[in-house]
Amino acid sequence: LVTADECSEMHLVNPVTSEQISLPSVITRPPSTHSLSRLRDYLFHKALLFYDTSAAGYIVVLIHNPLRQLSFARLGDEKWTWLPPHDLSGTVVTTKIIMDRNDKYGLERVYIVQAPWGDLLLVRRPEVSIKAAPAEHGHACAVRADQATFGNRTWRISIY
């Protein structure tokens, strides 16, 4: 898993062994007017982890704001490498929808991950607004004044 801590620093985490590997610091990105604790909510959109057989190591690709730009880092890098827009080219990609989105609550994150046995898994992570979260998920009474500015919470993960 790729996680972001309370200071918006990113880590690779093995959920089985609890081993953590730090990724390059967010302070290697251009300056921002957001506090470090809120930067992850603004900056990070999605992180993808790939194994590079030619380098025998992992690469993390980060889709981030502003404007859904791409940066990458290999494990051990000191900083993120930004890919300028329009620098990527290749053949036309075709898509085949194998499962329609059913975004019941209005905001959902969708990931495709490769299982250790090689299959592709679709992971869906619906988020709900704290103020509108269903009471059965424990959110309606759990809002504290210091959490009021954080808009969404994950309450379920589905894997297909």
Side-chain angles (χ1 to χ4, degrees), residues 39-89:
L39 185 62
R40 63 184 174 193
D41 300 328
Y42 166 76
L43 184 64
F44 307 141
H45 177 67
K46 191 175 285 191
L48 307 144
L49 179 65
F50 299 96
Y51 186 76
D52 181 4
T53 54
S54 64
Y58 287 94
I59 297 174
V60 176
V61 176
L62 180 63
I63 303 171
H64 59 86
N65 281 322
L67 305 173
R68 302 291 195 247
Q69 297 179 54
L70 294 175
S71 292
F72 72 91
R74 291 179 176 84
L75 294 190
D77 283 357
E78 295 293 321
K79 63 180 185 135
W80 291 94
T81 301
W82 175 66
L83 294 173
H86 313 295
D87 272 15
L88 303 177
S89 61

